[in-house]
Amino acid sequence: MAVSSGEGKSAGQHDPVRQAARERAGEQGLLFDEQPTALPQGIGYRGPTACAAAGITYRQLDYWARTELVLPTIRAAQGSGSQRLYSFRDILVLKVVKRLLDTGVSLQQIRTAVQHLRDRGVNDLAQITLMSDGVSVYECTSADEVIDLLQGGQGVFGIALGRVWREVEGSLAELPGERAEAAPDAEGDHPSDELARRRKARRTG
């Protein structure tokens, strides 16, 4: 399944059903009214920070990295002594994946959606709304497309990436980051890294 693009309709824009859909979309923040700040440059975030900002577990983060669903683009883990570093955009995608999972979308469908996001590029992310009925994932790039999907189907769930951007930004403001060019640290130097602790425990236990 490819991520579908909703198609706006010019007729019937003011009928009661469409107006109700527009109001619903506005309440959910799906009408492209978010204005995210510039993408943070040169800052990376370790695994525990990415988990906290995206609302996922370390087990999920590790599994998604190993299966290449969401890879850290600043620095991948290279051996037992290195730390993954995730970019702001990586964490944004992690949070979107979590939202899609929560709606019941299959992992296979999510992989397709994630690839589509990668292909879109950084500057376009904030202007996209992803919508799902729990089976398919739709991309909307205009308010009319959002409203058409809302008025046409029951139980459609929308994810406005501009709003998710702001949520991630707010979370990361309270969490540690580091310069992307920083050299990897020794495995035991960061007790907050759960995977490193487990490996160390296995070696010493």
Side-chain angles (χ1 to χ4, degrees), residues 27-88:
E27 291 169 359
Q28 295 181 36
L30 301 177
L31 295 184
F32 306 91
D33 57 352
E34 299 292 331
Q35 297 295 328
T37 58
L39 192 71
Q41 297 294 324
I43 301 296
Y45 304 93
R46 294 182 182 274
T49 297
C51 290
I56 61 175
T57 66
Y58 197 94
R59 184 185 296 272
Q60 286 175 308
L61 182 79
D62 187 53
Y63 177 71
W64 294 349
R66 287 188 288 106
T67 58
E68 300 185 354
L69 176 60
V70 184
L71 289 167
T73 58
I74 292 184
R75 188 170 71 219
Q78 298 176 343
S80 61
S82 64
Q83 304 284 332
R84 297 187 188 110
L85 275 186
Y86 289 82
S87 69
F88 182 95

Short mmCIF file of all heavy atoms in Angstrom, two decimals, residues 27-88:
data_model
loop_
_atom_site.label_atom_id
_atom_site.label_comp_id
_atom_site.label_asym_id
_atom_site.label_seq_id
_atom_site.Cartn_x
_atom_site.Cartn_y
_atom_site.Cartn_z
N GLU A 27 -10.78 21.63 15.45
CA GLU A 27 -10.61 21.24 16.85
C GLU A 27 -9.39 20.34 17.04
O GLU A 27 -8.73 20.36 18.07
CB GLU A 27 -11.87 20.53 17.35
CG GLU A 27 -13.08 21.44 17.48
CD GLU A 27 -14.36 20.67 17.72
OE1 GLU A 27 -14.29 19.41 17.75
OE2 GLU A 27 -15.42 21.30 17.86
N GLN A 28 -9.09 19.51 16.03
CA GLN A 28 -7.97 18.58 16.12
C GLN A 28 -6.66 19.20 15.63
O GLN A 28 -5.62 18.55 15.65
CB GLN A 28 -8.26 17.32 15.29
CG GLN A 28 -9.43 16.51 15.81
CD GLN A 28 -9.67 15.26 14.99
OE1 GLN A 28 -8.74 14.63 14.52
NE2 GLN A 28 -10.92 14.90 14.79
N GLY A 29 -6.71 20.47 15.20
CA GLY A 29 -5.48 21.12 14.73
C GLY A 29 -4.99 20.60 13.41
O GLY A 29 -3.78 20.55 13.16
N LEU A 30 -5.92 20.21 12.52
CA LEU A 30 -5.53 19.55 11.27
C LEU A 30 -5.57 20.49 10.06
O LEU A 30 -5.42 20.04 8.94
CB LEU A 30 -6.45 18.35 11.00
CG LEU A 30 -6.48 17.27 12.08
CD1 LEU A 30 -7.47 16.18 11.71
CD2 LEU A 30 -5.10 16.68 12.29
N LEU A 31 -5.77 21.78 10.28
CA LEU A 31 -5.97 22.68 9.15
C LEU A 31 -4.74 23.54 8.84
O LEU A 31 -4.86 24.67 8.43
CB LEU A 31 -7.20 23.55 9.38
CG LEU A 31 -8.52 22.77 9.42
CD1 LEU A 31 -9.69 23.73 9.56
CD2 LEU A 31 -8.70 21.92 8.17
N PHE A 32 -3.57 23.01 9.09
CA PHE A 32 -2.32 23.63 8.63
C PHE A 32 -2.13 25.03 9.21
O PHE A 32 -1.70 25.94 8.53
CB PHE A 32 -2.27 23.68 7.10
CG PHE A 32 -2.50 22.35 6.46
CD1 PHE A 32 -3.78 21.94 6.10
CD2 PHE A 32 -1.45 21.48 6.26
CE1 PHE A 32 -3.99 20.70 5.54
CE2 PHE A 32 -1.65 20.23 5.69
CZ PHE A 32 -2.92 19.84 5.33
N ASP A 33 -2.44 25.16 10.50
CA ASP A 33 -2.28 26.47 11.14
C ASP A 33 -1.05 26.52 12.04
O ASP A 33 -0.84 27.49 12.74
CB ASP A 33 -3.52 26.83 11.96
CG ASP A 33 -3.84 25.78 13.02
OD1 ASP A 33 -3.18 24.71 13.02
OD2 ASP A 33 -4.74 26.03 13.84
N GLU A 34 -0.25 25.45 12.03
CA GLU A 34 0.94 25.43 12.87
C GLU A 34 2.11 26.08 12.14
O GLU A 34 2.27 25.93 10.94
CB GLU A 34 1.32 23.98 13.23
CG GLU A 34 0.23 23.25 14.01
CD GLU A 34 0.02 23.81 15.39
OE1 GLU A 34 0.98 24.33 15.97
OE2 GLU A 34 -1.11 23.71 15.91
N GLN A 35 2.93 26.82 12.88
CA GLN A 35 4.11 27.47 12.32
C GLN A 35 5.34 27.05 13.12
O GLN A 35 5.77 27.76 14.02
CB GLN A 35 3.94 28.99 12.35
CG GLN A 35 2.79 29.51 11.50
CD GLN A 35 3.02 29.27 10.02
OE1 GLN A 35 4.16 29.28 9.55
NE2 GLN A 35 1.95 29.04 9.27
N PRO A 36 5.90 25.87 12.84
CA PRO A 36 7.05 25.41 13.61
C PRO A 36 8.28 26.27 13.39
O PRO A 36 8.42 26.93 12.36
CB PRO A 36 7.29 23.98 13.10
CG PRO A 36 6.35 23.76 11.99
CD PRO A 36 5.49 24.95 11.80
N THR A 37 9.13 26.27 14.38
CA THR A 37 10.37 27.01 14.26
C THR A 37 11.34 26.26 13.35
O THR A 37 11.07 25.15 12.90
CB THR A 37 11.02 27.20 15.63
OG1 THR A 37 11.26 25.91 16.22
CG2 THR A 37 10.11 27.99 16.55
N ALA A 38 12.49 26.86 13.09
CA ALA A 38 13.49 26.24 12.22
C ALA A 38 13.98 24.94 12.84
O ALA A 38 14.05 24.78 14.05
CB ALA A 38 14.66 27.20 12.01
N LEU A 39 14.33 24.00 11.97
CA LEU A 39 14.83 22.71 12.41
C LEU A 39 16.17 22.88 13.12
O LEU A 39 17.06 23.55 12.61
CB LEU A 39 15.02 21.80 11.19
CG LEU A 39 15.27 20.32 11.46
CD1 LEU A 39 14.02 19.65 11.99
CD2 LEU A 39 15.71 19.64 10.17
N PRO A 40 16.32 22.32 14.33
CA PRO A 40 17.60 22.43 15.04
C PRO A 40 18.73 21.82 14.21
O PRO A 40 18.59 20.73 13.67
CB PRO A 40 17.37 21.62 16.32
CG PRO A 40 15.89 21.59 16.49
CD PRO A 40 15.31 21.59 15.11
N GLN A 41 19.83 22.53 14.12
CA GLN A 41 20.96 22.08 13.31
C GLN A 41 22.11 21.61 14.20
O GLN A 41 22.45 22.25 15.19
CB GLN A 41 21.46 23.22 12.42
CG GLN A 41 20.43 23.72 11.41
CD GLN A 41 20.07 22.67 10.37
OE1 GLN A 41 20.92 21.90 9.93
NE2 GLN A 41 18.81 22.63 9.97
N GLY A 42 22.71 20.47 13.81
CA GLY A 42 23.92 20.00 14.46
C GLY A 42 23.74 19.47 15.87
O GLY A 42 24.72 19.34 16.61
N ILE A 43 22.50 19.18 16.27
CA ILE A 43 22.25 18.66 17.61
C ILE A 43 21.74 17.23 17.50
O ILE A 43 20.85 16.94 16.71
CB ILE A 43 21.22 19.51 18.38
CG1 ILE A 43 21.70 20.96 18.49
CG2 ILE A 43 20.96 18.93 19.76
CD1 ILE A 43 22.96 21.12 19.31
N GLY A 44 22.31 16.33 18.29
CA GLY A 44 21.87 14.95 18.32
C GLY A 44 21.33 14.59 19.69
O GLY A 44 21.68 15.22 20.69
N TYR A 45 20.50 13.56 19.73
CA TYR A 45 19.86 13.14 20.98
C TYR A 45 20.06 11.65 21.16
O TYR A 45 19.81 10.86 20.24
CB TYR A 45 18.37 13.49 20.96
CG TYR A 45 18.11 14.95 20.71
CD1 TYR A 45 17.90 15.42 19.41
CD2 TYR A 45 18.12 15.87 21.76
CE1 TYR A 45 17.67 16.77 19.17
CE2 TYR A 45 17.89 17.22 21.52
CZ TYR A 45 17.67 17.66 20.23
OH TYR A 45 17.45 19.00 19.99
N ARG A 46 20.51 11.26 22.35
CA ARG A 46 20.73 9.84 22.66
C ARG A 46 19.40 9.09 22.76
O ARG A 46 18.33 9.69 22.85
CB ARG A 46 21.51 9.71 23.95
CG ARG A 46 22.93 10.26 23.86
CD ARG A 46 23.67 10.04 25.18
NE ARG A 46 25.01 10.60 25.13
CZ ARG A 46 26.08 9.96 24.66
NH1 ARG A 46 25.96 8.73 24.20
NH2 ARG A 46 27.27 10.54 24.65
N GLY A 47 19.52 7.77 22.77
CA GLY A 47 18.35 6.91 22.78
C GLY A 47 17.34 7.22 23.86
O GLY A 47 16.14 7.38 23.58
N PRO A 48 17.75 7.33 25.13
CA PRO A 48 16.77 7.61 26.20
C PRO A 48 16.05 8.94 26.00
O PRO A 48 14.87 9.06 26.31
CB PRO A 48 17.65 7.63 27.46
CG PRO A 48 18.80 6.74 27.13
CD PRO A 48 19.08 6.99 25.68
N THR A 49 16.75 9.93 25.47
CA THR A 49 16.12 11.23 25.20
C THR A 49 15.10 11.10 24.06
O THR A 49 13.99 11.64 24.15
CB THR A 49 17.18 12.27 24.83
OG1 THR A 49 18.05 12.46 25.94
CG2 THR A 49 16.54 13.61 24.47
N ALA A 50 15.47 10.37 23.01
CA ALA A 50 14.54 10.15 21.90
C ALA A 50 13.29 9.44 22.37
O ALA A 50 12.17 9.77 21.96
CB ALA A 50 15.23 9.35 20.79
N CYS A 51 13.45 8.46 23.25
CA CYS A 51 12.31 7.72 23.79
C CYS A 51 11.38 8.65 24.56
O CYS A 51 10.15 8.61 24.41
CB CYS A 51 12.78 6.60 24.71
SG CYS A 51 13.59 5.23 23.87
N ALA A 52 11.97 9.47 25.42
CA ALA A 52 11.16 10.37 26.25
C ALA A 52 10.38 11.36 25.39
O ALA A 52 9.21 11.64 25.66
CB ALA A 52 12.06 11.11 27.24
N ALA A 53 11.02 11.89 24.35
CA ALA A 53 10.36 12.88 23.51
C ALA A 53 9.29 12.26 22.61
O ALA A 53 8.28 12.91 22.32
CB ALA A 53 11.39 13.61 22.65
N ALA A 54 9.51 11.02 22.17
CA ALA A 54 8.56 10.37 21.26
C ALA A 54 7.48 9.59 21.99
O ALA A 54 6.50 9.18 21.38
CB ALA A 54 9.31 9.45 20.30
N GLY A 55 7.67 9.35 23.29
CA GLY A 55 6.68 8.61 24.05
C GLY A 55 6.71 7.11 23.79
O GLY A 55 5.67 6.45 23.80
N ILE A 56 7.92 6.57 23.55
CA ILE A 56 8.06 5.14 23.28
C ILE A 56 9.02 4.52 24.28
O ILE A 56 9.68 5.23 25.05
CB ILE A 56 8.58 4.89 21.84
CG1 ILE A 56 9.96 5.53 21.66
CG2 ILE A 56 7.59 5.42 20.82
CD1 ILE A 56 10.61 5.23 20.31
N THR A 57 9.10 3.20 24.28
CA THR A 57 10.01 2.51 25.17
C THR A 57 11.37 2.32 24.49
O THR A 57 11.48 2.41 23.25
CB THR A 57 9.48 1.12 25.55
OG1 THR A 57 9.45 0.29 24.37
CG2 THR A 57 8.06 1.22 26.13
N TYR A 58 12.39 2.05 25.31
CA TYR A 58 13.71 1.80 24.73
C TYR A 58 13.70 0.53 23.89
O TYR A 58 14.39 0.44 22.87
CB TYR A 58 14.76 1.70 25.83
CG TYR A 58 16.17 1.84 25.31
CD1 TYR A 58 16.81 3.08 25.30
CD2 TYR A 58 16.85 0.75 24.80
CE1 TYR A 58 18.10 3.22 24.80
CE2 TYR A 58 18.14 0.88 24.29
CZ TYR A 58 18.75 2.10 24.30
OH TYR A 58 20.01 2.24 23.79
N ARG A 59 12.89 -0.44 24.29
CA ARG A 59 12.78 -1.68 23.52
C ARG A 59 12.25 -1.39 22.11
O ARG A 59 12.74 -1.94 21.12
CB ARG A 59 11.86 -2.66 24.24
CG ARG A 59 11.75 -4.03 23.56
CD ARG A 59 10.73 -4.89 24.28
NE ARG A 59 11.16 -5.18 25.64
CZ ARG A 59 11.92 -6.21 25.98
NH1 ARG A 59 12.35 -7.03 25.05
NH2 ARG A 59 12.23 -6.41 27.24
N GLN A 60 11.22 -0.53 22.03
CA GLN A 60 10.69 -0.16 20.72
C GLN A 60 11.75 0.56 19.88
O GLN A 60 11.93 0.26 18.70
CB GLN A 60 9.46 0.74 20.88
CG GLN A 60 8.21 0.02 21.35
CD GLN A 60 7.07 0.97 21.60
OE1 GLN A 60 7.22 1.97 22.33
NE2 GLN A 60 5.92 0.70 21.01
N LEU A 61 12.43 1.51 20.50
CA LEU A 61 13.46 2.26 19.79
C LEU A 61 14.52 1.34 19.22
O LEU A 61 14.92 1.43 18.05
CB LEU A 61 14.11 3.28 20.73
CG LEU A 61 15.17 4.19 20.12
CD1 LEU A 61 14.52 5.32 19.33
CD2 LEU A 61 16.09 4.76 21.19
N ASP A 62 15.00 0.42 20.05
CA ASP A 62 16.05 -0.50 19.63
C ASP A 62 15.56 -1.41 18.50
O ASP A 62 16.27 -1.63 17.52
CB ASP A 62 16.51 -1.32 20.84
CG ASP A 62 17.72 -2.18 20.52
OD1 ASP A 62 18.73 -1.64 20.02
OD2 ASP A 62 17.68 -3.40 20.79
N TYR A 63 14.35 -1.91 18.62
CA TYR A 63 13.80 -2.81 17.60
C TYR A 63 13.60 -2.07 16.27
O TYR A 63 13.95 -2.59 15.19
CB TYR A 63 12.46 -3.39 18.07
CG TYR A 63 11.80 -4.28 17.04
CD1 TYR A 63 12.34 -5.54 16.75
CD2 TYR A 63 10.67 -3.86 16.36
CE1 TYR A 63 11.74 -6.37 15.80
CE2 TYR A 63 10.07 -4.68 15.40
CZ TYR A 63 10.61 -5.92 15.13
OH TYR A 63 10.03 -6.73 14.18
N TRP A 64 13.09 -0.85 16.33
CA TRP A 64 12.86 -0.10 15.09
C TRP A 64 14.17 0.26 14.42
O TRP A 64 14.24 0.35 13.19
CB TRP A 64 12.05 1.16 15.39
CG TRP A 64 10.65 0.86 15.86
CD1 TRP A 64 10.02 -0.35 15.83
CD2 TRP A 64 9.73 1.79 16.44
NE1 TRP A 64 8.75 -0.24 16.35
CE2 TRP A 64 8.55 1.05 16.74
CE3 TRP A 64 9.78 3.14 16.75
CZ2 TRP A 64 7.43 1.66 17.32
CZ3 TRP A 64 8.67 3.74 17.33
CH2 TRP A 64 7.51 3.01 17.61
N ALA A 65 15.23 0.48 15.22
CA ALA A 65 16.54 0.75 14.62
C ALA A 65 17.11 -0.52 13.99
O ALA A 65 17.64 -0.48 12.87
CB ALA A 65 17.50 1.30 15.67
N ARG A 66 17.01 -1.64 14.69
CA ARG A 66 17.57 -2.90 14.16
C ARG A 66 16.84 -3.37 12.91
O ARG A 66 17.43 -4.01 12.04
CB ARG A 66 17.54 -3.98 15.24
CG ARG A 66 18.57 -3.77 16.35
CD ARG A 66 18.66 -4.96 17.29
NE ARG A 66 17.50 -5.07 18.17
CZ ARG A 66 16.53 -5.99 18.05
NH1 ARG A 66 16.60 -6.88 17.06
NH2 ARG A 66 15.53 -6.02 18.88
N THR A 67 15.53 -3.08 12.81
CA THR A 67 14.76 -3.48 11.63
C THR A 67 14.69 -2.37 10.59
O THR A 67 13.98 -2.50 9.59
CB THR A 67 13.33 -3.89 12.03
OG1 THR A 67 12.69 -2.80 12.70
CG2 THR A 67 13.36 -5.10 12.97
N GLU A 68 15.44 -1.28 10.84
CA GLU A 68 15.57 -0.16 9.90
C GLU A 68 14.25 0.54 9.62
O GLU A 68 14.05 1.14 8.55
CB GLU A 68 16.22 -0.62 8.59
CG GLU A 68 17.61 -1.20 8.79
CD GLU A 68 18.30 -1.53 7.48
OE1 GLU A 68 17.64 -1.43 6.42
OE2 GLU A 68 19.48 -1.90 7.52
N LEU A 69 13.32 0.50 10.58
CA LEU A 69 12.09 1.28 10.44
C LEU A 69 12.40 2.77 10.62
O LEU A 69 12.02 3.60 9.79
CB LEU A 69 11.05 0.82 11.46
CG LEU A 69 9.74 1.62 11.48
CD1 LEU A 69 9.04 1.54 10.14
CD2 LEU A 69 8.82 1.11 12.60
N VAL A 70 13.09 3.10 11.72
CA VAL A 70 13.56 4.46 11.94
C VAL A 70 15.01 4.38 12.42
O VAL A 70 15.27 3.94 13.54
CB VAL A 70 12.72 5.21 12.99
CG1 VAL A 70 13.19 6.67 13.09
CG2 VAL A 70 11.23 5.18 12.63
N LEU A 71 15.92 4.77 11.56
CA LEU A 71 17.34 4.73 11.88
C LEU A 71 17.81 6.10 12.37
O LEU A 71 17.31 7.13 11.91
CB LEU A 71 18.16 4.34 10.65
CG LEU A 71 18.04 2.89 10.19
CD1 LEU A 71 18.63 2.74 8.79
CD2 LEU A 71 18.73 1.96 11.16
N PRO A 72 18.77 6.14 13.29
CA PRO A 72 19.35 7.42 13.69
C PRO A 72 20.20 7.97 12.55
O PRO A 72 21.12 7.30 12.09
CB PRO A 72 20.20 7.07 14.91
CG PRO A 72 20.53 5.61 14.73
CD PRO A 72 19.38 4.99 14.01
N THR A 73 19.90 9.17 12.10
CA THR A 73 20.60 9.70 10.93
C THR A 73 21.86 10.49 11.28
O THR A 73 22.67 10.76 10.40
CB THR A 73 19.66 10.61 10.12
OG1 THR A 73 19.18 11.66 10.95
CG2 THR A 73 18.49 9.83 9.56
N ILE A 74 22.03 10.85 12.56
CA ILE A 74 23.23 11.59 12.93
C ILE A 74 24.38 10.63 13.21
O ILE A 74 25.49 10.79 12.71
CB ILE A 74 22.98 12.50 14.14
CG1 ILE A 74 22.03 13.62 13.74
CG2 ILE A 74 24.29 13.07 14.69
CD1 ILE A 74 21.78 14.64 14.81
N ARG A 75 24.12 9.59 14.00
CA ARG A 75 25.16 8.60 14.25
C ARG A 75 24.53 7.27 14.60
O ARG A 75 23.75 7.17 15.55
CB ARG A 75 26.09 9.05 15.39
CG ARG A 75 27.30 8.12 15.55
CD ARG A 75 28.31 8.73 16.51
NE ARG A 75 27.83 8.70 17.88
CZ ARG A 75 28.03 9.69 18.76
NH1 ARG A 75 28.67 10.78 18.40
NH2 ARG A 75 27.59 9.59 20.00
N ALA A 76 24.85 6.24 13.82
CA ALA A 76 24.37 4.89 14.10
C ALA A 76 25.30 4.23 15.11
O ALA A 76 26.46 4.62 15.27
CB ALA A 76 24.32 4.08 12.82
N ALA A 77 24.78 3.23 15.79
CA ALA A 77 25.61 2.47 16.72
C ALA A 77 26.61 1.64 15.92
O ALA A 77 26.23 0.91 15.00
CB ALA A 77 24.73 1.56 17.58
N GLN A 78 27.88 1.77 16.26
CA GLN A 78 28.93 1.01 15.57
C GLN A 78 29.74 0.28 16.63
O GLN A 78 30.73 0.78 17.14
CB GLN A 78 29.81 1.97 14.76
CG GLN A 78 29.05 2.70 13.67
CD GLN A 78 29.91 3.70 12.94
OE1 GLN A 78 30.96 4.08 13.42
NE2 GLN A 78 29.46 4.12 11.77
N GLY A 79 29.28 -0.92 16.94
CA GLY A 79 29.95 -1.69 17.98
C GLY A 79 29.39 -1.35 19.36
O GLY A 79 28.60 -0.44 19.53
N SER A 80 29.86 -2.09 20.34
CA SER A 80 29.30 -1.97 21.68
C SER A 80 29.71 -0.69 22.39
O SER A 80 29.12 -0.32 23.38
CB SER A 80 29.73 -3.17 22.54
OG SER A 80 31.14 -3.21 22.65
N GLY A 81 30.69 0.03 21.89
CA GLY A 81 31.16 1.22 22.58
C GLY A 81 30.60 2.52 22.05
O GLY A 81 31.01 3.59 22.49
N SER A 82 29.67 2.45 21.10
CA SER A 82 29.15 3.69 20.50
C SER A 82 27.70 3.92 20.91
O SER A 82 27.01 3.00 21.34
CB SER A 82 29.26 3.63 18.98
OG SER A 82 28.44 2.60 18.47
N GLN A 83 27.27 5.15 20.77
CA GLN A 83 25.92 5.55 21.12
C GLN A 83 25.20 6.06 19.89
O GLN A 83 25.75 6.86 19.13
CB GLN A 83 25.97 6.65 22.18
CG GLN A 83 26.74 6.30 23.44
CD GLN A 83 25.96 5.37 24.34
OE1 GLN A 83 24.74 5.38 24.32
NE2 GLN A 83 26.66 4.58 25.13
N ARG A 84 23.95 5.64 19.68
CA ARG A 84 23.16 6.20 18.60
C ARG A 84 22.83 7.66 18.91
O ARG A 84 22.56 8.02 20.05
CB ARG A 84 21.84 5.43 18.45
CG ARG A 84 21.98 3.97 18.06
CD ARG A 84 20.60 3.40 17.77
NE ARG A 84 20.63 1.96 17.56
CZ ARG A 84 20.13 1.08 18.42
NH1 ARG A 84 19.57 1.50 19.54
NH2 ARG A 84 20.19 -0.21 18.16
N LEU A 85 22.81 8.47 17.87
CA LEU A 85 22.37 9.86 18.01
C LEU A 85 21.26 10.12 16.99
O LEU A 85 21.45 9.93 15.79
CB LEU A 85 23.52 10.84 17.76
CG LEU A 85 24.45 11.17 18.95
CD1 LEU A 85 25.41 12.27 18.54
CD2 LEU A 85 23.66 11.58 20.18
N TYR A 86 20.11 10.54 17.51
CA TYR A 86 18.94 10.81 16.68
C TYR A 86 18.81 12.31 16.43
O TYR A 86 19.06 13.12 17.31
CB TYR A 86 17.67 10.29 17.35
CG TYR A 86 17.57 8.78 17.36
CD1 TYR A 86 18.23 8.03 18.33
CD2 TYR A 86 16.82 8.10 16.40
CE1 TYR A 86 18.16 6.64 18.34
CE2 TYR A 86 16.74 6.72 16.41
CZ TYR A 86 17.41 5.99 17.38
OH TYR A 86 17.33 4.62 17.39
N SER A 87 18.39 12.66 15.22
CA SER A 87 18.13 14.06 14.90
C SER A 87 16.71 14.43 15.34
O SER A 87 15.89 13.57 15.67
CB SER A 87 18.26 14.29 13.39
OG SER A 87 17.20 13.65 12.69
N PHE A 88 16.42 15.72 15.30
CA PHE A 88 15.07 16.19 15.61
C PHE A 88 14.07 15.53 14.67
O PHE A 88 13.01 15.06 15.09
CB PHE A 88 15.02 17.72 15.45
CG PHE A 88 13.68 18.32 15.78
CD1 PHE A 88 13.42 18.83 17.04
CD2 PHE A 88 12.68 18.39 14.81
CE1 PHE A 88 12.18 19.39 17.34
CE2 PHE A 88 11.44 18.94 15.10
CZ PHE A 88 11.20 19.45 16.36
#
